[in-house]
Structures are given as C-alpha cells and as structure tokens.
Amino acid sequence: MPLLAEHFQVYAVDLRGQGRSTWTPGRYTIDNMGGDLVRFIDLVIGRPVIVSGLSSGGVIAAWLSAYAKPGQIRAAVWEDPPLFAAEAVTSCGQPINQGMGRVFAAWNKWLGDQWSIGDWKGFQAAAPRELPRPLLRALATMMPPEEGAGPVDGPPQNLRKYDPEWGRSFVSGLATAGCDHATMLANVKVPVLFTHHFHQRDEESGMELGALSDFQADRVRQLVTGAGQDFTYRSFPDMPHAMHRHQPELYARTVTEWAATLPDSAGLPGVSAPSGSQAPGRRGPDSRRTLGRS
C-alpha cells in the first residue's frame, strides 16, 4: 500500500470469511461479496475506482467489472484469479474439486465451519493421505510461509482468521451458484489487467497446480475482448500466488505502468506510460473510450 500511495488513494477491504469480524455463516457467495463492495464504493469512496483483487478477490473484481453500478468501476486488476477453476461445475478446464478444492474440503473437515472443530494437528497428519502429492508440493511453492506467521505447531495467522465454511461454499458450488463465470466475463465493461502466476502442470498426474491453467486464461481473454474491452495479460509463471505480498515492488510497478495507459491516466501524479509494444488483447489508443463519469 505505501508503494501505491504515491499514485493512488488505496483502500484495503477484508472480504467475508477472511477476518473474524467478517465471518457470516451461510452467506458466502460471490454475489453477496460483490454487493458488499458496491455499497462500500458508494458509501465510503463515492467516486469511480480501479478495483484489485487476489485469487477469489480477483473473481470478485471480475464480478465488479461486469455487474457494479454504471460508472463505479474505472478499471480492474485481477491478480491470479481462479476464473473457471473456482467453479464446482465449469464450462472450461479443470473445476475446483480437481484442484485447490481438495485443500478447502480438508480444512473444513478438520477445522470445521467457524473453526468449530479446530483439529490442526489432525489436519497435518491427514494431509499426506487426503491431498495429492503434487498439490502438497505446489502449496509449499505457491504460498511460502510468512515471517512471524504463528507458532511452529499451530496454523499460520492468515488461516486462523479464515472461516473454513468460506472454502466449503466454493467446493459445494454455493459460492458461484448465481455467478456463471462465462456469462460474467462476457459482460465485463472496463479495461482489465490480468496477472497470471504459477501456471504449471504436474506431468505425471496432469493436475493443474496454479490458480488457473493457460487454457482457462486464454478463454478469459477471449470473453473479455469479445465484450469489447481492453485486456492486458502479464505472465509470471514462477511467481507465488500472492505477487503483491511476495514481490510488492514488482506488483506496484506492474499496476502503475498499466494504469498510465488508461483513459485520463494523466491525473495520476508521476505516472508515465510504459514504452514498448502493446500486450496481446489490447486495442490501439485510437479505440479507447471514456468510462463512467470521467
């Protein structure tokens, strides 16, 4: 946030289920989470915004790109979002239960809704039996331990704040029941920056190990550009899942340089457009449009 503050006024929002004050049992859906942010933008910010989200937050950023009120969203950053890959039944590629959904299901089994079970040691003992080895190896690479994350024999801090029912809602299909990803992407109304990390496949099992596959990312591009919107794709195949946490300087530079290419980007102090060729999927400057109230 300090790196971005030179160019943006930054708001960080704890999504439902990701902090103890946001646990809302039985109400973890993309539509509800998106509606939360529509109200937040209206009541707190009160002007058009660039919205950014990591992982499921990237899916919610995509929801806002399609379904927010007219003029609310100026552009969107989707940081390694599991589009299609977060659906229980998907029209494109590997669904959630063939990938990270197995981790969410194990967390819910051993920790319980709202940590009603809390058997962390039981989870650790069961993980080698219940989770495929390629997924266990990938988890260690995608999400390196945080400094000061918690006691050696206990869960990391971010997991202690997390409601396992939130993950179960994705595995069961409840979270995306009213949010078909293909329909959502075909309705995107703003320019998009899409950063894609760790898109690797286990050769032995064929399991996709990242948030979404190259095939799924290409389908995302097709749908967004088919909706007439700019789509800037940035590939970081060796990057852990959370680029903004592990390499914040690179994340801030990537976002700031992209933002300089948006209509009316001259309003960002110190931001200049990057040199070089356009990214795949971007239209030329002559076809840019003014968005929202700007």
Side-chain angles (χ1 to χ4, degrees), residues 1-135:
M1 289 177 70
L3 292 171
L4 291 170
E6 180 181 353
H7 308 294
F8 306 94
Q9 182 176 9
V10 186
Y11 295 82
V13 182
D14 225 1
L15 296 175
R16 293 182 185 226
Q18 296 301 301
R20 289 186 181 274
S21 65
T22 68
W23 288 4
T24 52
R27 301 186 61 81
Y28 296 130
T29 72
I30 294 295
D31 290 334
N32 280 345
M33 292 175 174
D36 291 343
L37 290 173
V38 165
R39 291 187 290 274
F40 183 85
I41 295 167
D42 264 353
L43 298 174
V44 178
I45 304 177
R47 61 184 185 275
V49 302
I50 297 174
V51 63
S52 174
L54 163 71
S55 195
S56 58
V59 177
I60 294 166
W63 186 98
L64 288 163
S65 305
Y67 301 133
K69 292 181 180 180
Q72 273 194 320
I73 309 301
R74 180 183 173 203
V77 180
W78 304 349
E79 185 185 352
D80 209 25
L83 292 164
F84 297 115
E87 293 182 295
V89 178
T90 185
S91 61
C92 179
Q94 178 175 285
I96 192 168
N97 290 314
Q98 291 181 19
M100 277 298 296
R102 302 186 194 191
V103 177
F104 297 153
W107 282 343
N108 190 258
K109 174 182 177 180
W110 292 98
L111 305 179
D113 293 355
Q114 296 81 56
W115 278 76
S116 55
I117 300 172
D119 187 359
W120 175 249
K121 291 185 177 179
F123 166 74
Q124 289 181 304
R129 301 191 307 270
E130 298 185 2
L131 300 178
R133 280 181 293 176
L135 188 55

Side-chain angles (χ1 to χ4, degrees), residues 108-263:
N108 190 258
K109 174 182 177 180
W110 292 98
L111 305 179
D113 293 355
Q114 296 81 56
W115 278 76
S116 55
I117 300 172
D119 187 359
W120 175 249
K121 291 185 177 179
F123 166 74
Q124 289 181 304
R129 301 191 307 270
E130 298 185 2
L131 300 178
R133 280 181 293 176
L135 188 55
L136 287 171
R137 291 195 298 268
L139 282 172
T141 305
M142 289 171 64
M143 293 177 280
E146 297 175 339
E147 293 183 13
V152 174
D153 60 348
Q157 175 65 20
N158 63 329
L159 187 56
R160 283 185 287 167
K161 295 190 298 180
Y162 158 90
D163 182 358
E165 184 185 341
W166 179 91
R168 180 168 66 81
S169 72
F170 280 88
V171 173
S172 68
L174 174 65
T176 55
C179 181
D180 174 75
H181 285 191
T183 301
M184 174 179 68
L185 294 167
N187 281 279
V188 167
K189 300 176 179 65
V190 298
V192 171
L193 169 63
F194 185 108
T195 69
H196 188 194
H197 318 162
F198 202 79
H199 35 114
Q200 300 179 22
R201 177 195 295 265
D202 179 65
E203 295 300 329
E204 182 177 344
S205 65
M207 177 180 288
E208 299 289 351
L209 301 178
L212 79 168
S213 66
D214 291 338
F215 175 69
Q216 289 169 322
D218 191 56
R219 182 59 179 150
V220 173
R221 177 192 59 78
Q222 292 172 11
L223 288 165
V224 174
T225 57
Q229 301 306 321
D230 287 355
F231 184 83
T232 301
Y233 177 83
R234 294 286 182 264
S235 177
F236 302 94
D238 298 320
M239 180 69 63
H241 188 42
M243 178 167 68
H244 75 263
R245 186 178 74 203
H246 297 289
Q247 293 198 26
E249 294 84 2
L250 177 60
Y251 173 81
R253 184 169 67 251
T254 300
V255 171
T256 303
E257 290 181 350
W258 164 77
T261 70
L262 297 172

Side-chain angles (χ1 to χ4, degrees), residues 273-294:
S275 60
S277 61
Q278 294 177 353
R282 285 199 63 89
R283 300 183 308 222
D286 291 342
S287 61
R288 292 178 186 164
R289 321 183 278 207
T290 302
L291 300 176
R293 292 195 295 271
S294 65

